[in-house]
Amino acid sequence: MKSFINTSHYHFWTDTRYSRALAHQADNQWDKGTYVRWTAMTGWSVLEMPCSATLDNEKLDTGLKTMLLSL
């Protein structure tokens, strides 16, 4: 059985948490904006991966937001 720590899900999740912490600690708005964008992008990926796996659809990245809003 594959360890959860070795999966991309785990690494994306820890990246999201780390970028969020950096955003809170940033001394200037430029850095804070960079970390917030990083957090949003990795956080969205963390959401897309289990949705894609659950629905067995690898093309969700192009229409996941539209699909979720239409439910």
Side-chain angles (χ1 to χ4, degrees):
M1 185 172 154
K2 190 164 138 178
S3 172
F4 179 69
I5 293 175
N6 294 328
T7 67
S8 56
H9 295 242
Y10 176 81
H11 293 288
F12 271 114
W13 176 244
T14 56
D15 283 354
T16 303
R17 293 177 46 96
Y18 180 61
S19 60
R20 181 179 180 268
L22 289 174
H24 283 285
Q25 298 169 5
D27 292 332
N28 63 63
Q29 292 300 315
W30 183 268
D31 289 343
K32 185 175 285 224
T34 300
Y35 297 136
V36 167
R37 285 188 300 278
W38 181 23
T39 303
M41 290 187 311
T42 56
W44 187 257
S45 295
V46 167
L47 173 66
E48 280 183 342
M49 289 189 307
C51 289
S52 178
T54 301
L55 298 173
D56 196 27
N57 184 345
E58 294 181 11
K59 296 185 179 186
L60 285 179
D61 59 341
T62 59
L64 179 62
K65 181 180 176 183
T66 305
M67 185 191 73
L68 290 176
L69 293 175
S70 69
L71 294 177

